[in-house]
């Protein structure tokens, strides 16, 4: 008999595109994800993905299987969440989604003070909003507002994040500052290209947007190092060389401690509005307000 976890693993690989991202979504090891996929392919007797160096591309059989099982899996996930809630009435449980950096900075220090259970999930904003619409999550912190008909999700703006240019504290930014003072953007861009660059896969959109808004062109290069998250970038830049474009609130403490340097905020503000995305039929509104208060107090 087929193992239900094989289907859940297949779903995450299909939706995330790589074994690594699927393992993160499942809180599992990458070898374990590979074992589940191999077992499912052996069971159905068909190849479900074409393996490339960058992505798992679903075959026609894989696409057919996904369409066949996805609705049933969503119903099972929703049932699992609702059943869990009904068996924990004495101790409310809130399910939230956001980027891992935001969780570590804002929520993690406050967890011991909470008087309710908390389940946190990390992932791409589109995937988190999808889980919110399906009733799997109660709250998502997101910079993207999606409009869907007959949706039970409402968006409330609460803060802004600004994308800024930072440098490792051993980076020589003398010429960069000279070009900034003279407002010579051509020379500035040329000087920036000489440096080592860091970015993360979920921040590349911000990277390209900052470059286009300040130099009126797409960046003609790829960062040297693309890391899992912003905190990894900040740790790498500490006492080192290199540049990165990151949201300001994630590195304020490190800038104040001179662990990294603020180089440029851009001639044009590259900003994102941050939203609380929550369900209108949420049962635990008191607990939701607690999480919102934590965010608003720390991101003024």
């Amino acid at each position: 008999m087929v193992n239900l976890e094989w289907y859940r693993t297949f779903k995450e690989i299909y939706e995330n595109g790589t074994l690594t991202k699927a393992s993160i979504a499942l809180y599992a090891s990458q070898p374990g994800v590979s074992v589940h996929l191999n077992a499912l392919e052996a069971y159905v007797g068909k190849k479900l993905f074409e393996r490339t160096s960058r992505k798992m591309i679903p075959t026609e059989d894989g696409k057919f299987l996904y369409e066949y099982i996805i609705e049933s899996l969503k119903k099972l996930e929703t049932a699992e969440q609702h059943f869990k809630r009904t068996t924990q009435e004495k101790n409310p449980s809130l399910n939230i989604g956001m980027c891992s950096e935001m969780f570590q900075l804002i929520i993690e220090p406050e967890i011991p003070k909470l008087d309710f259970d908390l389940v946190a999930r990390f992932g791409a904003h589109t995937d988190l909003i999808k889980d919110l619409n399906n009733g799997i999550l109660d709250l998502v912190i997101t910079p993207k507002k999606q409009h869907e008909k007959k949706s039970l999700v409402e968006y409330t703006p609460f803060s802004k994040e600004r994308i800024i240019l930072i440098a490792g504290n051993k980076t020589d930014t003398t010429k960069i500052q000279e070009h900034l003072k003279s407002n010579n953007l051509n020379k500035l861009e040329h000087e920036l290209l000489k440096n080592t660059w860091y970015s993360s896969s979920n921040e590349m959109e911000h990277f390209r947007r900052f470059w286009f808004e300040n130099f009126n062109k797409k960046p003609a290069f790829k960062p040297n190092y693309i890391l899992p998250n912003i905190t990894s970038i900040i740790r790498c830049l500490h006492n080192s060389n290199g540049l990165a474009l990151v949201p300001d609130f994630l590195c304020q403490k490190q800038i104040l401690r001179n662990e990294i340097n603020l180089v440029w905020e851009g001639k044009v503000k590259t900003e994102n509005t941050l939203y609380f995305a929550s369900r209108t039929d949420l049962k635990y509104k008191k607990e939701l307000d607690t999480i919102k208060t934590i965010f608003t107090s720390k991101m003024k």
Side-chain angles (χ1 to χ4, degrees):
M1 184 174 180
V2 69
N3 187 329
L4 178 60
E5 290 303 313
W6 298 351
Y7 284 138
R8 296 180 70 173
T9 299
F10 166 75
K11 168 183 172 290
E12 293 300 337
I13 297 172
Y14 190 99
E15 294 180 352
N16 287 283
T18 68
L19 295 176
T20 301
K21 290 182 179 179
S23 66
I24 293 172
L26 291 164
Y27 302 98
S29 67
Q30 187 170 324
V33 169
S34 296
V35 168
H36 280 187
L37 176 58
N38 292 337
L40 180 60
E41 287 184 324
Y43 181 83
V44 300
K46 298 179 183 296
K47 191 175 182 181
L48 301 176
F49 292 97
E50 295 291 346
R51 278 81 161 166
T52 70
S53 59
R54 293 188 176 182
K55 196 171 183 180
M56 301 286 284
I57 302 173
T59 62
E60 289 304 313
D61 288 316
K63 292 176 183 178
F64 178 77
L65 179 62
Y66 178 83
E67 294 300 325
Y68 199 84
I69 68 170
I70 186 60
E71 290 303 321
S72 297
L73 279 179
K74 285 180 179 179
K75 288 179 181 178
L76 283 173
E77 288 174 347
T78 302
E80 180 183 12
Q81 290 297 326
H82 283 293
F83 178 76
K84 182 178 179 181
R85 293 176 193 173
T86 57
T87 58
Q88 293 182 343
E89 290 297 327
K90 293 183 179 179
N91 201 20
S93 179
L94 201 65
N95 295 268
I96 63 176
M98 65 194 72
C99 67
S100 60
E101 301 97 321
M102 187 173 286
F103 176 83
Q104 291 169 355
L105 181 67
I106 306 295
I107 298 297
E108 197 172 89
E110 304 299 323
I111 286 180
K113 305 174 189 176
L114 301 178
D115 59 358
F116 54 90
D117 293 346
L118 187 72
V119 179
R121 183 169 181 179
F122 313 129
H125 295 292
T126 51
D127 295 333
L128 295 176
I129 294 298
K130 193 181 300 181
D131 287 341
L132 185 65
N133 276 306
N134 290 332
I136 297 171
L137 294 175
D138 303 309
L139 171 71
V140 171
I141 309 300
T142 178
K144 295 182 178 180
K145 188 175 181 180
Q146 298 183 13
H147 297 282
E148 296 183 17
K149 293 181 179 180
K150 298 180 180 180
S151 174
L152 293 175
V153 174
E154 61 180 5
Y155 293 84
T156 306
F158 71 93
S159 186
K160 288 183 180 291
E161 62 176 9
R162 185 172 185 179
I163 308 304
I164 59 173
L165 176 64
I166 62 171
N169 53 11
K170 289 189 176 180
T171 308
D172 184 359
T173 60
T174 305
K175 290 186 178 180
I176 294 175
Q177 295 300 334
E178 288 176 0
H179 299 322
L180 283 172
K181 288 180 181 178
S182 63
N183 198 31
N184 192 325
L185 294 180
N186 288 330
K187 287 186 177 181
L188 172 62
E189 182 186 24
H190 182 72
E191 186 63 34
L192 291 175
L193 293 177
K194 294 179 181 179
N195 285 266
T196 299
W197 280 87
Y198 290 80
S199 188
S200 66
S201 55
N202 61 340
E203 292 294 326
M204 287 302 296
E205 182 181 339
H206 297 159
F207 183 95
R208 289 187 286 266
R209 185 173 152 215
F210 181 96
W211 208 268
F212 185 82
E213 290 182 350
N214 285 284
F215 298 107
N216 200 31
K217 64 174 74 169
K218 295 179 180 179
F221 70 103
K222 186 182 77 172
N224 304 87
Y225 304 109
I226 298 179
L227 306 185
N229 51 53
I230 300 298
T231 51
S232 295
I233 293 172
I234 293 171
R235 285 195 295 268
C236 287
L237 287 177
H238 178 43
N239 286 328
S240 186
N241 292 303
L243 302 175
L245 291 164
V246 301
D248 55 356
F249 75 93
L250 291 176
C251 59
Q252 289 173 345
K253 289 183 179 179
Q254 290 83 356
I255 291 174
L256 291 174
R257 293 197 294 255
N258 295 317
E259 294 175 0
I260 56 175
N261 297 323
L262 170 61
V263 179
W264 190 32
E265 294 184 336
K267 68 170 185 174
V268 177
K269 287 184 179 181
T270 303
E271 290 184 333
N272 296 313
T273 299
L274 296 176
Y275 296 93
F276 294 127
S278 59
R279 293 183 61 84
T280 56
D281 60 348
L282 180 65
K283 183 176 181 180
Y284 300 120
K285 293 189 177 181
K286 174 177 170 288
E287 289 73 22
L288 177 67
D289 288 340
T290 298
I291 297 297
K292 287 183 175 180
T293 298
I294 292 172
F295 270 97
T296 52
S297 63
K298 289 190 176 186
M299 298 187 65
K300 289 181 178 179

